[in-house]
Amino acid sequence: MSAEWAKLFAFKESLKIVFSFNISKVIFGIDYASLVNRVKKCGKDITMMGYCIGEACKYMENFNFVVVIWANCNCNKVGDLLCKQAIKNSCNWTFDMDNPKDIHDFVISDSMN
């Protein structure tokens, strides 16, 4: 699977999850500029990728406000740490607002970059 297909799959799953939480206003930050551009041109791409993006765009119609932007994630230490923690805990880890200190420190460090 190419990076663009993987990012599209993750985006579609994000749409489903956010919708399941009944969130009406959402901003999606994607670190793959090509995918962001394709999503913004939804319905104009006649390739297989364009069709799949069109399917994802149907989920976007369920929100009152939705924006897709490019987000620079070249130093995403928080995401890396969370993935490692999830694997270490056999992918069985609940998230809440009381994060361990190491996660808090990574969030602060990542937000400064």
Side-chain angles (χ1 to χ4, degrees):
M1 176 183 297
S2 73
E4 192 164 26
W5 282 101
K7 296 285 184 178
L8 175 58
F9 178 77
F11 175 61
K12 287 171 69 174
E13 291 301 309
S14 298
L15 285 166
K16 292 175 188 177
I17 290 170
V18 171
F19 180 70
S20 73
F21 288 137
N22 294 321
I23 297 172
S24 62
K25 298 177 183 176
V26 63
I27 299 173
F28 290 98
I30 303 173
D31 66 341
Y32 202 80
S34 174
L35 181 59
V36 172
N37 291 334
R38 285 177 169 225
V39 169
K40 288 184 176 187
K41 296 177 184 175
C42 187
K44 298 177 183 173
D45 187 351
I46 60 170
T47 64
M48 185 60 105
M49 173 71 71
Y51 174 80
C52 292
I53 289 171
E55 293 296 307
C57 288
K58 289 179 184 176
Y59 281 101
M60 293 170 58
E61 295 171 1
N62 296 318
F63 300 104
N64 293 337
F65 176 81
V66 62
V67 177
V68 178
I69 60 170
W70 176 77
N72 185 3
C73 296
N74 63 350
C75 60
N76 193 350
K77 295 174 188 164
V78 174
D80 185 54
L81 176 71
L82 293 175
C83 289
K84 287 178 182 175
Q85 290 284 350
I87 291 169
K88 185 172 103 177
N89 293 312
S90 302
C91 298
N92 188 11
W93 193 31
T94 58
F95 293 94
D96 56 22
M97 294 305 291
D98 297 325
N99 295 315
K101 183 172 178 3
D102 56 340
I103 293 175
H104 180 268
D105 292 345
F106 271 103
V107 170
I108 298 301
S109 170
D110 223 14
S111 65
M112 300 298 204
N113 293 333

